[in-house]
Structures are given as structure tokens and as C-alpha cells.
Coordinates of all heavy atoms in Angstrom, one line a residue:
M3 N 24.5 -12.8 1.5 CA 23.7 -13.4 2.5 C 22.4 -13.9 1.8 O 21.7 -13.1 1.2 CB 23.4 -12.5 3.6 CG 22.6 -13.0 4.7 SD 22.4 -11.7 6.0 CE 21.9 -12.7 7.3
P4 N 22.0 -15.1 2.0 CA 20.7 -15.6 1.4 C 19.5 -15.0 2.0 O 19.5 -14.6 3.2 CB 20.8 -17.1 1.6 CG 21.8 -17.3 2.7 CD 22.7 -16.2 2.7
R5 N 18.5 -14.8 1.2 CA 17.2 -14.2 1.6 C 16.5 -15.3 2.4 O 16.5 -16.4 2.1 CB 16.4 -13.8 0.4 CG 17.0 -12.7 -0.4 CD 16.3 -11.4 0.1 NE 16.8 -10.3 -0.7 CZ 16.7 -9.1 -0.3 NH1 16.3 -8.8 0.9 NH2 17.1 -8.1 -1.0
R6 N 15.8 -14.8 3.4 CA 14.9 -15.7 4.2 C 13.6 -15.9 3.4 O 13.2 -15.0 2.6 CB 14.6 -15.0 5.5 CG 15.8 -14.9 6.4 CD 15.4 -14.1 7.6 NE 14.9 -12.8 7.2 CZ 14.8 -11.8 8.0 NH1 15.1 -11.8 9.2 NH2 14.3 -10.7 7.5
T7 N 12.9 -16.9 3.6 CA 11.7 -17.3 2.9 C 10.6 -16.2 3.1 O 9.7 -16.1 2.3 CB 11.2 -18.7 3.2 OG1 11.0 -18.7 4.6 CG2 12.2 -19.7 2.8
Q8 N 10.6 -15.5 4.2 CA 9.6 -14.6 4.5 C 9.9 -13.1 4.1 O 9.1 -12.2 4.4 CB 9.2 -14.6 6.0 CG 8.7 -16.0 6.4 CD 8.2 -16.0 7.8 OE1 8.0 -14.9 8.4 NE2 7.8 -17.1 8.3
D9 N 11.0 -12.9 3.5 CA 11.4 -11.5 3.1 C 10.4 -10.9 2.1 O 10.2 -9.7 2.2 CB 12.8 -11.5 2.5 CG 13.9 -11.6 3.5 OD1 13.6 -11.5 4.7 OD2 15.0 -11.8 3.2
F10 N 9.9 -11.7 1.2 CA 9.0 -11.1 0.2 C 7.5 -11.7 0.4 O 6.8 -11.8 -0.6 CB 9.5 -11.4 -1.2 CG 10.8 -10.8 -1.4 CD1 12.0 -11.5 -1.5 CD2 10.9 -9.4 -1.6 CE1 13.2 -10.9 -1.7 CE2 12.1 -8.8 -1.8 CZ 13.3 -9.6 -1.8
R11 N 7.1 -12.0 1.6 CA 5.8 -12.5 1.9 C 4.7 -11.6 1.4 O 3.7 -12.0 0.9 CB 5.7 -12.8 3.4 CG 4.5 -13.5 3.8 CD 4.5 -13.9 5.3 NE 4.9 -12.7 6.1 CZ 4.1 -12.0 6.7 NH1 2.8 -12.2 6.7 NH2 4.6 -10.9 7.4
G12 N 5.0 -10.3 1.4 CA 3.9 -9.3 1.0 C 3.6 -9.4 -0.5 O 2.6 -8.9 -0.9
L13 N 4.5 -10.0 -1.3 CA 4.3 -10.1 -2.7 C 3.8 -11.4 -3.2 O 3.7 -11.7 -4.4 CB 5.6 -9.8 -3.5 CG 6.2 -8.4 -3.2 CD1 7.5 -8.2 -3.9 CD2 5.2 -7.3 -3.6
T14 N 3.3 -12.3 -2.3 CA 2.8 -13.6 -2.7 C 1.4 -13.5 -3.3 O 1.1 -14.5 -4.0 CB 2.7 -14.5 -1.5 OG1 1.9 -14.0 -0.5 CG2 4.1 -14.8 -0.9
Q15 N 0.8 -12.5 -3.2 CA -0.6 -12.4 -3.8 C -0.5 -11.3 -4.9 O 0.1 -10.3 -4.8 CB -1.6 -11.9 -2.8 CG -1.8 -12.9 -1.7 CD -3.0 -12.5 -0.8 OE1 -3.8 -11.7 -1.2 NE2 -3.0 -13.2 0.4
R16 N -1.1 -11.7 -6.0 CA -1.1 -10.9 -7.3 C -1.7 -9.4 -7.0 O -1.1 -8.5 -7.6 CB -1.9 -11.5 -8.3 CG -1.7 -10.9 -9.7 CD -2.3 -11.8 -10.8 NE -1.6 -13.1 -10.6 CZ -1.7 -14.1 -11.5 NH1 -2.5 -13.9 -12.5 NH2 -1.1 -15.2 -11.3
R17 N -2.7 -9.3 -6.2 CA -3.3 -8.0 -5.9 C -2.3 -7.1 -5.2 O -2.2 -5.9 -5.5 CB -4.5 -8.1 -5.1 CG -5.7 -8.6 -5.8 CD -6.9 -8.7 -5.0 NE -8.1 -9.0 -5.7 CZ -9.3 -9.0 -5.2 NH1 -9.5 -8.8 -4.0 NH2 -10.3 -9.3 -6.0
R18 N -1.5 -7.7 -4.3 CA -0.5 -6.9 -3.6 C 0.6 -6.4 -4.5 O 1.1 -5.2 -4.4 CB 0.2 -7.7 -2.5 CG -0.8 -7.9 -1.3 CD -0.2 -8.6 -0.2 NE -1.2 -8.9 0.8 CZ -1.0 -9.8 1.8 NH1 0.1 -10.4 1.9 NH2 -2.0 -10.0 2.6
L19 N 1.0 -7.2 -5.4 CA 2.0 -6.8 -6.4 C 1.4 -5.7 -7.3 O 2.2 -4.7 -7.6 CB 2.4 -8.0 -7.3 CG 3.5 -7.8 -8.3 CD1 4.8 -7.3 -7.6 CD2 3.8 -9.0 -9.1
R20 N 0.2 -5.8 -7.7 CA -0.4 -4.7 -8.5 C -0.5 -3.4 -7.7 O -0.2 -2.3 -8.3 CB -1.8 -5.1 -9.0 CG -1.8 -6.1 -10.1 CD -3.1 -6.2 -10.7 NE -4.2 -6.5 -9.7 CZ -5.4 -6.9 -10.0 NH1 -5.8 -7.0 -11.2 NH2 -6.2 -7.1 -9.0
L21 N -0.8 -3.5 -6.4 CA -0.9 -2.3 -5.6 C 0.5 -1.7 -5.5 O 0.6 -0.4 -5.6 CB -1.4 -2.6 -4.2 CG -3.0 -3.0 -4.2 CD1 -3.3 -3.5 -2.8 CD2 -3.8 -1.7 -4.4
L22 N 1.5 -2.5 -5.2 CA 2.9 -2.0 -5.1 C 3.3 -1.3 -6.4 O 3.9 -0.2 -6.3 CB 3.8 -3.1 -4.7 CG 5.3 -2.8 -4.6 CD1 5.5 -1.7 -3.5 CD2 6.2 -4.0 -4.3
Q23 N 3.0 -1.9 -7.5 CA 3.4 -1.3 -8.8 C 2.8 0.0 -9.0 O 3.3 0.9 -9.6 CB 3.1 -2.3 -9.9 CG 4.1 -3.5 -9.9 CD 3.6 -4.6 -10.9 OE1 2.5 -4.7 -11.3 NE2 4.6 -5.5 -11.2
S24 N 1.5 0.1 -8.6 CA 0.7 1.3 -8.7 C 1.3 2.4 -7.9 O 1.5 3.6 -8.4 CB -0.7 1.1 -8.4 OG -1.4 2.3 -8.3
I25 N 1.7 2.1 -6.7 CA 2.4 3.1 -5.8 C 3.7 3.5 -6.4 O 4.1 4.7 -6.3 CB 2.5 2.5 -4.4 CG1 1.1 2.3 -3.8 CG2 3.3 3.4 -3.5 CD1 1.1 1.5 -2.5
Q26 N 4.5 2.6 -6.9 CA 5.8 2.9 -7.5 C 5.6 3.8 -8.7 O 6.4 4.7 -8.9 CB 6.5 1.6 -7.9 CG 7.0 0.9 -6.7 CD 7.6 -0.5 -7.0 OE1 7.3 -1.1 -8.1 NE2 8.4 -1.0 -6.2
R27 N 4.6 3.6 -9.5 CA 4.4 4.5 -10.7 C 4.0 5.9 -10.3 O 4.5 6.8 -10.9 CB 3.2 3.9 -11.6 CG 3.7 2.9 -12.6 CD 2.6 2.6 -13.6 NE 1.3 2.2 -13.0 CZ 1.0 0.9 -12.7 NH1 1.9 0.0 -12.8 NH2 -0.2 0.6 -12.2
V28 N 3.1 6.1 -9.4 CA 2.6 7.4 -8.9 C 2.6 7.4 -7.4 O 1.6 7.1 -6.8 CB 1.2 7.7 -9.5 CG1 0.9 9.1 -9.2 CG2 1.2 7.5 -11.0
P29 N 3.7 7.8 -6.7 CA 3.7 7.9 -5.3 C 2.9 9.0 -4.7 O 2.6 10.0 -5.5 CB 5.2 8.1 -5.0 CG 5.9 8.0 -6.2 CD 5.0 8.0 -7.4
G30 N 2.4 8.9 -3.5 CA 1.8 9.9 -2.8 C 0.3 10.0 -3.1 O -0.3 11.1 -3.1
R31 N -0.4 8.8 -3.3 CA -1.8 8.8 -3.6 C -2.5 8.1 -2.4 O -1.9 7.4 -1.6 CB -2.1 8.1 -4.9 CG -1.7 8.8 -6.1 CD -2.1 8.2 -7.3 NE -1.6 6.8 -7.5 CZ -2.0 5.9 -8.3 NH1 -3.0 6.2 -9.0 NH2 -1.4 4.7 -8.3
R32 N -3.8 8.4 -2.3 CA -4.7 7.8 -1.3 C -5.0 6.4 -1.7 O -5.0 6.0 -2.8 CB -5.9 8.6 -1.1 CG -5.7 10.0 -0.6 CD -7.0 10.7 -0.5 NE -6.8 12.1 -0.1 CZ -7.7 13.0 0.2 NH1 -9.0 12.6 0.2 NH2 -7.4 14.2 0.5
A33 N -5.5 5.6 -0.7 CA -5.8 4.2 -0.9 C -7.0 4.1 -1.9 O -7.0 3.2 -2.7 CB -6.2 3.6 0.4
G34 N -8.0 5.0 -1.9 CA -9.0 4.9 -2.8 C -8.6 5.1 -4.3 O -9.1 4.4 -5.1
E35 N -7.7 6.0 -4.5 CA -7.2 6.2 -5.9 C -6.4 4.9 -6.3 O -6.6 4.5 -7.5 CB -6.3 7.4 -5.9 CG -7.0 8.7 -5.6 CD -6.0 9.8 -5.3 OE1 -4.9 9.6 -4.8 OE2 -6.4 11.0 -5.5
I36 N -5.6 4.4 -5.5 CA -4.8 3.2 -5.8 C -5.8 2.0 -6.1 O -5.6 1.3 -7.0 CB -3.8 2.9 -4.7 CG1 -2.8 4.1 -4.5 CG2 -3.0 1.6 -5.0 CD1 -2.0 4.0 -3.2
A37 N -6.7 1.8 -5.2 CA -7.7 0.7 -5.3 C -8.4 0.8 -6.6 O -8.7 -0.1 -7.4 CB -8.6 0.7 -4.2
S38 N -8.9 2.0 -7.0 CA -9.6 2.3 -8.2 C -8.8 1.9 -9.4 O -9.3 1.3 -10.4 CB -10.1 3.7 -8.2 OG -10.8 4.0 -9.4
E39 N -7.6 2.3 -9.4 CA -6.7 2.1 -10.5 C -6.5 0.5 -10.7 O -6.5 0.1 -11.9 CB -5.3 2.7 -10.3 CG -4.4 2.4 -11.5 CD -3.0 2.9 -11.2 OE1 -2.9 4.0 -10.7 OE2 -2.0 2.2 -11.7
C40 N -6.4 -0.2 -9.6 CA -6.2 -1.6 -9.7 C -7.4 -2.5 -9.8 O -7.3 -3.7 -10.0 CB -5.4 -2.1 -8.4 SG -3.7 -1.4 -8.3
G41 N -8.6 -1.8 -9.7 CA -9.8 -2.6 -9.8 C -10.1 -3.5 -8.6 O -10.7 -4.5 -8.7
I42 N -9.7 -3.0 -7.4 CA -9.8 -3.7 -6.2 C -10.7 -3.0 -5.2 O -10.6 -1.8 -5.1 CB -8.4 -4.0 -5.5 CG1 -7.5 -4.7 -6.4 CG2 -8.6 -4.7 -4.1 CD1 -6.1 -4.8 -6.0
P43 N -11.6 -3.7 -4.5 CA -12.5 -2.9 -3.5 C -11.6 -2.2 -2.5 O -10.6 -2.7 -2.1 CB -13.3 -4.0 -2.9 CG -13.3 -5.1 -3.9 CD -12.0 -5.1 -4.6
L44 N -12.0 -1.1 -2.0 CA -11.3 -0.3 -1.1 C -10.9 -1.0 0.2 O -9.7 -1.0 0.6 CB -12.0 1.0 -0.8 CG -11.3 2.0 0.2 CD1 -9.9 2.4 -0.3 CD2 -12.1 3.2 0.5
N45 N -11.8 -1.7 0.8 CA -11.5 -2.4 2.0 C -10.5 -3.5 1.9 O -9.6 -3.7 2.7 CB -12.7 -2.9 2.8 CG -13.6 -1.8 3.3 OD1 -13.0 -0.7 3.7 ND2 -14.9 -2.1 3.5
T46 N -10.5 -4.2 0.7 CA -9.6 -5.2 0.4 C -8.2 -4.6 0.2 O -7.2 -5.1 0.7 CB -10.0 -6.0 -0.8 OG1 -11.3 -6.5 -0.6 CG2 -9.0 -7.1 -1.2
A47 N -8.2 -3.5 -0.5 CA -7.0 -2.8 -0.8 C -6.3 -2.3 0.5 O -5.1 -2.4 0.6 CB -7.2 -1.6 -1.7
R48 N -7.1 -1.8 1.4 CA -6.5 -1.3 2.7 C -5.8 -2.5 3.4 O -4.8 -2.3 4.0 CB -7.6 -0.8 3.6 CG -8.1 0.6 3.2 CD -9.0 1.2 4.1 NE -9.5 2.5 3.8 CZ -10.7 2.9 3.8 NH1 -11.7 2.2 4.2 NH2 -11.0 4.1 3.4
D49 N -6.4 -3.7 3.4 CA -5.8 -4.8 4.1 C -4.5 -5.2 3.4 O -3.5 -5.5 4.1 CB -6.7 -6.0 4.0 CG -8.0 -5.9 4.9 OD1 -7.9 -5.1 5.9 OD2 -9.0 -6.6 4.7
H50 N -4.5 -5.2 2.1 CA -3.3 -5.5 1.3 C -2.2 -4.4 1.6 O -1.0 -4.7 1.7 CB -3.5 -5.7 -0.2 CG -4.3 -6.9 -0.5 ND1 -3.9 -8.2 -0.1 CD2 -5.4 -7.1 -1.2 CE1 -4.7 -9.1 -0.6 NE2 -5.7 -8.4 -1.2
L51 N -2.6 -3.2 1.6 CA -1.6 -2.1 1.8 C -1.1 -2.2 3.3 O 0.1 -2.0 3.4 CB -2.3 -0.7 1.7 CG -2.7 -0.4 0.2 CD1 -3.6 0.8 0.2 CD2 -1.5 -0.1 -0.6
R52 N -1.8 -2.6 4.2 CA -1.4 -2.8 5.6 C -0.3 -3.9 5.6 O 0.8 -3.8 6.2 CB -2.5 -3.1 6.5 CG -2.1 -3.2 8.0 CD -3.3 -3.4 8.9 NE -4.4 -2.5 8.7 CZ -5.6 -2.8 8.2 NH1 -5.8 -4.1 8.0 NH2 -6.5 -1.9 8.0
A53 N -0.5 -5.0 4.9 CA 0.4 -6.1 4.8 C 1.7 -5.7 4.1 O 2.8 -6.0 4.6 CB -0.2 -7.3 4.0
L54 N 1.6 -4.9 3.0 CA 2.8 -4.4 2.3 C 3.6 -3.5 3.2 O 4.8 -3.5 3.2 CB 2.4 -3.6 1.0 CG 1.9 -4.5 -0.1 CD1 1.3 -3.6 -1.2 CD2 3.0 -5.4 -0.6
E55 N 2.9 -2.6 4.0 CA 3.6 -1.7 4.9 C 4.3 -2.5 6.1 O 5.4 -2.2 6.4 CB 2.6 -0.7 5.5 CG 3.3 0.3 6.3 CD 2.4 1.5 6.7 OE1 1.2 1.3 6.7 OE2 2.9 2.5 7.1
N56 N 3.6 -3.5 6.6 CA 4.2 -4.4 7.7 C 5.4 -5.0 7.2 O 6.4 -5.3 7.9 CB 3.2 -5.3 8.2 CG 2.1 -4.7 9.0 OD1 2.2 -3.5 9.5 ND2 1.0 -5.4 9.2
D57 N 5.5 -5.4 5.9 CA 6.7 -6.1 5.3 C 7.7 -5.1 4.9 O 8.8 -5.5 4.4 CB 6.3 -6.9 4.1 CG 5.5 -8.2 4.6 OD1 5.5 -8.5 5.8 OD2 4.9 -8.8 3.7
G58 N 7.5 -3.8 5.0 CA 8.5 -2.8 4.7 C 8.6 -2.4 3.3 O 9.6 -1.9 2.8
L59 N 7.6 -2.8 2.4 CA 7.7 -2.5 1.0 C 7.1 -1.1 0.6 O 7.5 -0.6 -0.4 CB 6.9 -3.6 0.3 CG 7.5 -5.0 0.4 CD1 6.6 -6.1 -0.1 CD2 8.9 -5.1 -0.2
I60 N 6.3 -0.6 1.5 CA 5.7 0.7 1.3 C 5.7 1.4 2.6 O 5.9 0.8 3.7 CB 4.3 0.7 0.7 CG1 3.3 0.0 1.6 CG2 4.3 0.1 -0.7 CD1 1.8 0.2 1.2
R61 N 5.5 2.8 2.6 CA 5.3 3.5 3.8 C 4.1 4.4 3.7 O 3.7 4.8 2.5 CB 6.5 4.3 4.2 CG 6.9 5.4 3.2 CD 8.2 6.1 3.7 NE 8.5 7.2 2.7 CZ 8.0 8.4 2.6 NH1 7.2 8.8 3.6 NH2 8.4 9.2 1.7
S62 N 3.4 4.7 4.8 CA 2.3 5.6 4.7 C 2.6 6.9 5.5 O 3.4 6.9 6.3 CB 1.0 4.9 5.3 OG 1.3 4.6 6.7
E63 N 1.9 7.9 5.1 CA 2.0 9.2 5.8 C 0.6 9.9 5.9 O -0.2 9.9 5.0 CB 2.9 10.1 4.9 CG 3.2 11.5 5.5 CD 4.1 12.2 4.5 OE1 5.2 11.7 4.2 OE2 3.7 13.3 4.1
T64 N 0.3 10.3 7.1 CA -1.0 11.0 7.4 C -0.8 12.4 7.0 O 0.1 13.1 7.5 CB -1.4 10.8 8.9 OG1 -1.4 9.4 9.2 CG2 -2.7 11.4 9.1
V65 N -1.8 12.9 6.3 CA -1.8 14.3 5.8 C -2.8 15.0 6.7 O -4.0 14.7 6.8 CB -2.3 14.5 4.4 CG1 -2.3 15.9 4.0 CG2 -1.4 13.7 3.4
H66 N -2.3 16.0 7.5 CA -3.2 16.8 8.4 C -3.7 18.0 7.6 O -3.0 18.9 7.3 CB -2.3 17.2 9.6 CG -1.8 16.0 10.4 ND1 -2.7 15.3 11.2 CD2 -0.6 15.4 10.5 CE1 -1.9 14.3 11.7 NE2 -0.7 14.4 11.3
L67 N -5.0 18.0 7.5 CA -5.7 19.1 6.8 C -6.5 19.9 7.8 O -6.7 19.4 8.9 CB -6.6 18.5 5.7 CG -6.0 17.6 4.6 CD1 -7.1 17.0 3.8 CD2 -5.0 18.5 3.8
S68 N -6.9 21.0 7.5 CA -7.7 21.8 8.4 C -9.2 21.6 8.2 O -10.0 22.4 8.4 CB -7.4 23.3 8.2 OG -7.7 23.7 6.9
T69 N -9.6 20.4 7.8 CA -11.0 20.0 7.6 C -11.4 19.0 8.7 O -10.6 18.4 9.3 CB -11.3 19.5 6.2 OG1 -10.5 18.3 6.0 CG2 -10.9 20.5 5.1
R70 N -12.7 18.8 8.8 CA -13.2 17.9 9.7 C -13.1 16.5 9.2 O -13.0 16.3 8.0 CB -14.7 18.2 10.0 CG -14.9 19.5 10.7 CD -16.3 19.8 10.9 NE -16.9 18.7 11.7 CZ -18.1 18.7 12.2 NH1 -18.8 19.8 12.1 NH2 -18.6 17.7 12.9
G71 N -13.1 15.4 10.1 CA -13.1 14.1 9.7 C -11.7 13.5 9.8 O -10.7 14.1 10.2
R72 N -11.6 12.2 9.4 CA -10.4 11.5 9.5 C -9.4 12.0 8.5 O -9.7 12.2 7.3 CB -10.6 10.0 9.2 CG -9.4 9.2 9.3 CD -9.7 7.7 9.0 NE -10.7 7.2 10.0 CZ -11.3 6.1 9.9 NH1 -11.1 5.3 8.9 NH2 -12.1 5.7 10.9
P73 N -8.1 12.3 8.9 CA -7.1 12.8 7.9 C -6.8 11.7 6.9 O -6.7 10.5 7.2 CB -6.0 13.2 8.8 CG -6.1 12.4 10.0 CD -7.6 12.2 10.2
P74 N -6.6 12.0 5.7 CA -6.2 11.1 4.7 C -4.8 10.5 4.9 O -3.9 11.2 5.4 CB -6.3 11.8 3.3 CG -6.1 13.2 3.7 CD -6.7 13.4 5.1
I75 N -4.6 9.3 4.4 CA -3.3 8.6 4.4 C -2.9 8.4 3.0 O -3.6 7.9 2.2 CB -3.4 7.3 5.2 CG1 -3.9 7.5 6.6 CG2 -2.1 6.5 5.1 CD1 -4.2 6.2 7.3
I76 N -1.6 8.8 2.7 CA -1.1 8.6 1.4 C 0.1 7.6 1.5 O 0.7 7.4 2.5 CB -0.6 10.0 0.8 CG1 0.3 10.7 1.7 CG2 -1.8 10.8 0.5 CD1 0.9 12.0 1.1
F77 N 0.3 7.0 0.4 CA 1.3 5.9 0.3 C 2.4 6.1 -0.6 O 2.3 6.7 -1.7 CB 0.6 4.6 -0.1 CG -0.5 4.1 1.0 CD1 -1.8 4.6 0.8 CD2 -0.1 3.3 2.0 CE1 -2.7 4.2 1.8 CE2 -1.0 3.0 2.9 CZ -2.3 3.4 2.8
Y78 N 3.6 5.7 -0.2 CA 4.9 5.9 -0.9 C 5.6 4.6 -1.0 O 5.5 3.8 0.0 CB 5.8 6.9 -0.3 CG 5.2 8.3 -0.3 CD1 4.6 8.8 0.8 CD2 5.4 9.1 -1.4 CE1 4.1 10.1 0.9 CE2 4.9 10.4 -1.3 CZ 4.3 10.9 -0.2 OH 3.7 12.2 -0.2
P79 N 6.4 4.3 -2.0 CA 7.3 3.1 -1.9 C 8.3 3.3 -0.9 O 8.8 4.4 -0.6 CB 7.9 3.0 -3.4 CG 7.6 4.3 -4.0 CD 6.5 5.0 -3.3
A80 N 8.8 2.2 -0.3 CA 9.8 2.3 0.7 C 11.2 2.4 0.1 O 11.4 2.0 -1.0 CB 9.7 1.1 1.6

């Protein structure tokens, strides 16, 4: 079955591809660690990670800790 043109829409930007490769190399890291490795500002990385997740290329998991504040989100390849 041929691929639709939007199947790999998440990989059209070079930064998204770098983020995906980083997650594939070392799964289970936070957005800040991934962004730092790729040399991308954290807020920009979060937007790209959201797009990759919406396209089904990665998945996120919230880690519930017994500390105050927002729980961290870690990323894995899909």
C-alpha cells in the first residue's frame, strides 16, 4: 500500500529529525536533556516533540514523583 504524503510530516524539519534520532539513541530522557544534546532551545524542542508525538513517531510518559511541582515527562521512540 503506498504511503500517504502526510505519513512523515513530522520529519520535514531537520530539528525534528535530530530530536527523533536523539530519542532513539537514548530513550527515556526529559525534554531538557534532549534539547541540550541537540542544541535547540527548550521551548522550541517542546513544540517539535509535541509534533513528533502527534504524528506517532515518539511517545511520552509522565513520571510521578513524590516531590512538589510539575511531574517530568520522558520520551521514548514509538
Side-chain angles (χ1 to χ4, degrees):
M3 179 176 199
R5 294 262 186 206
R6 297 173 303 200
T7 57
Q8 296 189 10
D9 282 350
F10 298 106
R11 188 173 46 99
L13 300 177
T14 58
Q15 294 187 19
R16 192 170 302 191
R17 285 181 171 183
R18 289 184 187 165
L19 184 58
R20 284 192 307 190
L21 289 168
L22 177 62
Q23 290 170 340
S24 174
I25 293 168
Q26 289 173 333
R27 271 194 304 277
V28 183
R31 292 187 296 163
R32 297 180 185 186
E35 297 166 331
I36 299 165
S38 176
E39 178 186 322
C40 295
I42 301 172
L44 179 58
N45 287 335
T46 303
R48 284 184 180 137
D49 289 339
H50 288 308
L51 291 169
R52 188 176 306 115
L54 289 170
E55 187 172 19
N56 288 341
D57 288 347
L59 297 169
I60 64 172
R61 64 180 178 86
S62 64
E63 182 179 304
T64 303
V65 179
H66 298 285
L67 303 174
S68 60
T69 60
R70 295 177 57 167
R72 182 181 298 170
I75 298 172
I76 54 176
F77 295 90
Y78 295 95

